[in-house]
Amino acid sequence: MKNPIAERIADFLKNFPPFQSLAYAELFHIACEIRVFYLEKGKILFQIGDVCHDSFYIVVSGAIGLSVTSDAEETLIDKCDEGDILGLRPFFAKNNYLMTAKAREESIVYAIPLKIFQPFVTANSNVLSFLLESFASNTRNPYDQEHRGKLISENIIYKEQQADIQYFQSIHYSKEPIMASQDAIVKDIAQMMTDNIIGSVIIKNGNLPIGIVTDKDLRSKIATGHFPITTVASKIMTSPVITVPEDLSLAEAQLYMLKYNVDYLCVTEDGSDKSAIRGIISENDLVVAQANNPGVIIKEVKRAQTAKDLKRIREKLTELIASSIQKDIPLSHIMNISGEINTAISRRAIDLAILEMGSPPARFAWLSIGSQGRKEQLLLTDQDSMLVFEDVAQDKYRDVKDYFLKLARRATSTLEKVGYVPSPDGAVASNIIWCKSLTDWIKQYNTWINTPGETTDVISTIFFDYEIAFGESAIEEAITEIIYKNAKTNKLFFDYLGNDALKKPSPLGFFRQFLVEEGGENKDTFDIKSRALTPLIDAGRLLVLSQDIKGVNSTYMRFKQLAVADSRNSELFLNCAEAFLTLSEFRTVEGLKNDSNGQFINLEELSKTDKVKLKNCFIPIKEVQELIKNRFKLTYFS
């Protein structure tokens, strides 16, 4: 039976993100449950202090103003027009609204029930990413002279006197979680939860997490009669439990909970389910953190229409990175969040290109490679990327490739205007060599791995550091599968990578003096990228490939995972991880100070303490290179 109202709503939604990422049948299903609200001018949709609604909203017509109140004065900070989404707070937290939404003119809004939309969030990565960026939406406050240009958002409590970076603050959590074995009786677990006034119990094997039982499990599996109260925990637990490292930030905790659609995160020693349990983070911990720590969240990119818009956003990110370092926010947090924003900017550049050109003729994946692929791009450095499109019929191949080359040229041109200059080596998706079908990419990786160095087509190691920025994750997974399948026990490949990792120049001379540039415009400066960071990056990449450790892109986390996988060398790997962060901070500070890529350090400007700190980072570099030399039986430098 036809439903013309739902059809009109679905037709409206399909024109705006994130609904553009959904099939029409899915939109129609959502539209059938949507409520329509007419708001007269001045009518309040929700206000500061209201309990969060069971829906979020999209503006159909008119305009909705978002405002905060400080010292009894209402300040307008943003305006939502046709197609704009607001009221996303219930997705992230259950505490009350921190902004007021009021109609600035006669308006119509659609209320989209969270319960109906949630399945599409967890099933579609584009929708999830969009919601994360939208919730981080913020703007300039035109009335704040002291903090003009600072970022404020729907996720904060506004204070004139303070602009702390809530998004990067480490979150406090319970360090004494209640735990039980997989053989524990559910009735006993329920009693434990009641006695301790908690909503979850971690199920462990030894001291390793294997699952979690929550009040939701009790309601959906026990109260409904699906399982008796006398059943054991292993029958009803949610497994695997989502694990995170100890120093998780509020922003990262929010991202994990939304990404995996969970209310609890298990904290472990190294962030994996293969290390000891350290605590538990609940959704309530996030609520408390947000309520007690007013702050700011990074400028969203979803409304950007031009490269100029994206450039302004990237400039704000630079300001935020500088402020974070000054506040001694852990660099690992700054890298994680900066990486997400850089990816969002790339994604929007691709979005804008698709809007210009029309829908792609085939599925594809845009992969950021190199420093952005490792999510280590704190400064405005080169853009490196590759484009993989699905295999198509031979007679369509040329037209399909032409489309993606034009798309890539538009996107890379936008990113260049933002400030990301193309790779000097031409490693960008707009290069005909690095824009090709999945089969052609598989052939490329096969050549690199099975016959390294035999042709002029030498291995470009940055292509082994990648992160999907846009498109089909299945295509990225296919690339990963072929790399690890071919690399396994491939001595020739690891010999090549090992020698490549060892040939970087030593940071120190014979008398432990810094080796500086002998000529050119950077004469007498220290090349921290080539002499210190690159050896660690190369070592981390080589070792995770040889240990078959998948899904870990950043150098810091690679060494943290290696410390778990190889207990004999765990201290060395942890030292490498910390050295990498320290060196990255030196480079970032240098780049921010001189508006450069931070590669060359003026040693005369460093204090004696900083020079000692820098030299201490070189010890694990030398030790890990010795380990590589011995492990792969390398007797020479190539």
Side-chain angles (χ1 to χ4, degrees):
M1 184 174 179
K2 281 201 166 188
N3 186 335
I5 296 177
E7 288 178 350
R8 283 201 297 272
I9 293 174
D11 288 339
F12 174 84
L13 294 177
K14 71 181 182 183
N15 296 310
F16 303 98
F19 309 103
Q20 290 171 329
S21 301
L22 301 177
Y24 190 83
E26 294 172 322
L27 292 179
F28 185 82
H29 174 71
I30 294 168
C32 289
E33 303 296 329
I34 281 177
R35 289 166 292 165
V36 182
F37 286 85
Y38 168 77
L39 301 176
E40 295 180 352
K41 182 178 180 180
K43 182 73 173 178
I44 290 174
L45 183 60
F46 56 78
Q47 62 184 356
I48 297 171
D50 280 355
V51 174
C52 284
H53 297 178
D54 62 356
S55 302
F56 67 101
Y57 303 94
I58 181 170
V59 180
V60 181
S61 63
I64 306 294
L66 296 176
S67 61
V68 293
T69 303
S70 179
D71 295 337
E73 181 178 345
E74 187 178 19
T75 303
L76 179 69
I77 66 165
D78 204 0
K79 188 179 74 164
C80 299
D81 301 307
E82 180 183 351
D84 289 338
I85 285 178
L86 67 153
L88 286 170
R89 186 165 192 77
F91 270 113
F92 290 81
K94 298 298 185 285
N95 56 332
N96 300 346
Y97 287 113
L98 301 179
M99 285 188 178
T100 294
K102 183 192 297 185
R104 293 176 59 78
E105 56 188 76
E106 289 185 347
S107 303
I108 295 175
V109 299
Y110 291 153
I112 304 173
L114 302 176
K115 185 177 180 180
I116 296 297
F117 198 67
Q118 183 67 44
F120 300 102
V121 175
T122 55
N124 191 306
S125 60
N126 289 335
V127 175
L128 170 61
S129 298
F130 178 87
L131 292 184
L132 287 171
E133 294 157 17
S134 297
F135 186 62
S137 176
N138 40 74
T139 185
R140 293 175 183 269
N141 170 17
Y143 302 109
D144 184 0
Q145 297 301 317
E146 183 179 355
H147 299 112
R148 181 176 296 278
K150 295 291 183 181
L151 305 176
I152 58 180
S153 87
E154 187 178 343
N155 191 32
I156 69 161
I157 301 172
Y158 176 73
K159 286 188 176 180
E160 267 185 16
Q161 310 302 324
Q162 190 172 358
D164 292 335
I165 304 177
Q166 168 210 12
Y167 207 51
F168 294 123
Q169 291 173 338
S170 294
I171 188 168
H172 296 286
Y173 56 88
S174 171
K175 296 185 178 179
E176 297 181 355
I178 305 300
M179 296 180 282
S181 72
Q182 58 186 327
D183 298 323
I185 303 301
V186 171
K187 180 179 178 181
D188 296 333
I189 290 176
Q191 190 62 54
M192 292 166 65
M193 292 166 66
T194 301
D195 293 343
N196 291 279
I197 319 175
I198 56 171
S200 67
V201 171
I202 296 175
I203 307 303
K204 64 174 184 173
N205 181 10
N207 198 31
L208 302 181
I210 59 172
I212 187 170
V213 173
T214 69
D215 48 8
K216 187 183 295 184
D217 291 318
L218 296 180
R219 290 194 306 271
S220 63
K221 299 171 185 176
I222 302 298
T224 57
H226 291 304
F227 292 90
I229 195 72
T230 54
T231 196
V232 293
S234 60
K235 297 292 185 181
I236 72 159
M237 69 181 183
T238 298
S239 180
V241 62
I242 304 303
T243 56
V244 295
E246 294 183 81
D247 57 352
L248 198 72
S249 69
L250 171 60
E252 293 166 308
Q254 285 182 329
L255 188 149
Y256 275 108
M257 285 189 180
L258 185 60
K259 182 175 184 178
Y260 295 105
N261 191 28
V262 296
D263 298 327
Y264 297 91
L265 302 171
C266 179
V267 180
T268 62
E269 195 172 272
D270 69 358
S272 77
D273 60 3
K274 305 300 182 187
S275 63
I277 298 166
R278 288 287 182 262
I280 190 165
I281 300 173
S282 69
E283 190 177 48
N284 186 62
D285 293 324
L286 270 62
V287 172
V288 171
Q290 292 176 92
N292 296 332
N293 296 288
V296 296
I297 293 184
I298 301 163
K299 178 77 166 100
E300 50 85 22
V301 297
K302 74 180 181 72
R303 296 181 188 171
Q305 297 297 319
T306 64
K308 186 177 180 181
D309 295 337
L310 291 173
K311 180 178 176 63
R312 185 175 64 252
I313 293 167
R314 187 54 181 82
E315 289 169 350
K316 291 192 176 201
L317 176 56
T318 299
E319 294 170 8
L320 191 56
I321 291 168
S323 177
S324 301
I325 290 175
Q326 289 173 2
K327 293 175 182 288
D328 293 323
I329 304 299
L331 197 70
S332 56
H333 293 337
I334 302 172
M335 280 184 171
N336 285 342
I337 305 306
S338 175
E340 292 297 329
I341 299 307
N342 280 319
T343 298
I345 290 173
S346 294
R347 186 182 303 120
R348 186 56 180 163
I350 300 164
D351 270 332
L352 293 174
I354 290 174
L355 286 172
E356 285 183 37
M357 295 182 58
S359 299
R363 293 179 298 174
F364 74 103
W366 180 293
L367 304 181
S368 298
I369 59 176
S371 61
Q372 190 171 337
R374 297 188 302 270
K375 293 192 172 179
E376 295 166 359
Q377 194 178 44
L378 294 174
L379 300 167
L380 269 171
T381 54
D382 302 342
Q383 57 165 303
D384 302 281
S385 57
M386 56 189 276
L387 193 148
V388 190
F389 55 88
E390 67 179 343
D391 293 328
V392 296
Q394 189 62 40
D395 61 334
K396 295 181 179 178
Y397 184 91
R398 183 170 181 175
D399 289 341
V400 169
K401 182 163 183 171
D402 283 347
Y403 171 93
F404 284 116
L405 280 171
K406 290 174 184 176
L407 173 74
R409 290 187 191 112
R410 281 178 166 83
T412 53
S413 174
T414 296
L415 292 171
E416 185 174 7
K417 292 172 184 174
V418 172
Y420 303 98
V421 297
S423 166
D425 300 323
V428 285
S430 55
N431 186 329
I432 192 171
I433 301 174
W434 309 128
C435 173
K436 47 194 173 187
S437 70
L438 179 58
T439 291
D440 286 344
W441 270 111
I442 288 174
K443 291 177 182 176
Q444 177 69 74
Y445 277 102
N446 284 340
T447 299
W448 279 334
I449 296 171
N450 296 320
T451 57
E454 288 189 9
T455 68
T456 55
D457 187 18
V458 297
I459 295 177
S460 185
T461 53
I462 63 170
F463 285 89
F464 291 84
D465 301 334
Y466 52 82
E467 174 84 2
I468 188 165
F470 191 101
E472 298 290 328
S473 59
I475 293 178
E476 179 197 29
E477 291 164 5
I479 294 290
T480 300
E481 182 180 351
I482 200 66
I483 289 174
Y484 279 88
K485 180 181 177 181
N486 281 345
K488 196 170 185 179
T489 69
N490 190 323
K491 187 177 185 304
L492 183 63
F493 175 59
F494 290 122
D495 283 354
Y496 188 96
L497 288 187
N499 280 299
D500 189 62
L502 295 178
K503 71 182 181 182
K504 303 300 185 292
S506 171
L508 295 176
F510 185 78
F511 297 104
R512 284 188 53 78
Q513 82 278 15
F514 287 96
L515 292 181
V516 297
E517 300 303 292
E518 296 180 354
E521 60 178 325
N522 299 305
K523 188 175 185 296
D524 295 328
T525 62
F526 177 68
D527 185 348
I528 195 169
K529 176 185 176 183
S530 299
R531 294 184 184 272
L533 284 166
T534 298
L536 284 174
I537 292 167
D538 288 346
R541 178 193 305 113
L542 164 64
L543 291 168
V544 296
L545 283 169
S546 68
Q547 293 273 29
D548 202 33
I549 298 174
K550 302 175 184 176
V552 183
N553 295 338
S554 79
T555 303
Y556 173 73
M557 286 308 300
R558 281 173 170 172
F559 281 116
K560 295 278 279 188
Q561 288 296 310
L562 286 165
V564 175
D566 184 357
S567 58
R568 289 178 302 174
N569 296 292
S570 60
E571 184 177 356
L572 168 59
F573 293 141
L574 291 175
N575 289 339
C576 287
E578 292 306 315
F580 178 77
L581 289 184
T582 300
L583 293 166
S584 296
E585 185 166 349
F586 271 109
R587 181 182 180 182
T588 303
V589 169
E590 179 73 18
L592 292 171
K593 181 174 63 178
N594 297 307
D595 193 23
S596 68
N597 65 10
Q599 181 171 349
F600 298 96
I601 306 290
N602 186 342
L603 297 172
E604 294 181 0
E605 295 179 358
L606 296 184
S607 65
K608 183 177 180 180
T609 301
D610 280 342
K611 288 179 182 177
V612 172
K613 190 177 178 182
L614 198 54
K615 283 185 177 181
N616 286 340
C617 292
F618 303 156
I619 298 172
I621 295 176
K622 182 178 180 180
E623 292 178 349
V624 79
Q625 287 188 329
E626 281 298 315
L627 182 146
I628 289 171
K629 187 176 180 182
N630 293 330
R631 178 170 294 181
F632 298 97
K633 297 181 174 57
L634 304 173
T635 57
Y636 60 92
F637 295 90
S638 61

